[in-house]
């Protein structure tokens, strides 16, 4: 902010000054320390205010996958995008004020959602005549989930509530 005063003068003297305050606003710098995290179908973007706010910071603009800008008040430095589909996403943030906005800062994130249940689960008791299997063994088969929510890490097999095996994502 700058204080500006104006006085009139002539050969008889100078008038009392009239004063005002002027705020010079320029485009702000870009937000710093931009970081994104993901959890359960959402992505949270965090940042720090720009080193140069251009004189007066109005807030921030956030874009998710190049969509419409969302305005975030200047008092906040976080934004959460919810309901994202599994896969890669790009979140961008820029600072803005009356003069314009900074260049956006982009961060990429890969969203992973919880896998849906495996389908068509079947279990069959093996006949005791099969010498390759111990007596009382059970064969369990299933189909992969309809929506693995991203890269599938594997399957957990439990019998009577007790962990029995962790299996590869290709097991069925």
């Amino acid at each position: 902010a700058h204080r500006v005063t104006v006085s009139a003068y002539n050969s008889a003297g100078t008038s009392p000054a009239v004063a005002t305050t002027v705020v010079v606003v320029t485009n702000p710098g870009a937000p710093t320390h931009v970081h994104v995290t993901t959890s359960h179908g959402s992505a949270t973007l965090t940042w720090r205010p720009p080193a140069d706010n251009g004189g007066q910071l109005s807030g921030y603009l956030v874009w998710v996958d190049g969509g419409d800008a969302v305005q975030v008040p200047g008092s906040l430095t976080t934004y959460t995008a919810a309901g994202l589909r599994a896969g890669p996403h790009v979140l961008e943030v820029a600072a803005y004020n009356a003069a314009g906005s900074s260049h956006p800062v982009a961060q990429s994130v890969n969203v992973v959602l919880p896998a849906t249940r495996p389908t068509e689960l079947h279990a069959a008791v093996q006949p005791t005549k099969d010498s390759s299997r111990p007596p009382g063994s059970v064969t369990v088969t299933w189909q992969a989930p309809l929506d693995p929510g991203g890269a599938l890490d594997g399957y957990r097999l439990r019998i009577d509530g007790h962990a029995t095996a962790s299996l590869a994502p290709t097991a069925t």
Side-chain angles (χ1 to χ4, degrees), residues 37-138:
T37 57
T38 181
S39 177
H40 302 290
S42 67
T44 300
L45 189 67
T46 59
W47 62 89
R48 289 191 185 155
D52 177 7
N53 67 8
Q56 187 175 23
L57 187 65
S58 298
Y60 301 95
L61 301 172
V62 175
W63 295 268
V64 178
D65 295 329
D68 293 337
V70 176
Q71 290 184 332
V72 176
S75 60
L76 299 178
T77 56
T78 185
Y79 176 78
T80 299
L84 298 175
R85 70 187 187 295
H89 296 275
V90 176
L91 283 77
E92 299 173 89
V93 60
Y96 79 95
N97 62 20
S101 66
S102 70
H103 290 290
V105 179
Q107 288 288 308
S108 298
V109 66
N110 189 39
V111 172
V112 178
L113 301 172
T116 59
R117 295 178 179 187
T119 62
E120 300 182 33
L121 179 64
H122 300 285
V125 176
Q126 293 294 317
T128 55
K129 297 176 187 173
D130 184 352
S131 61
S132 66
R133 303 221 184 247
S137 65
V138 175

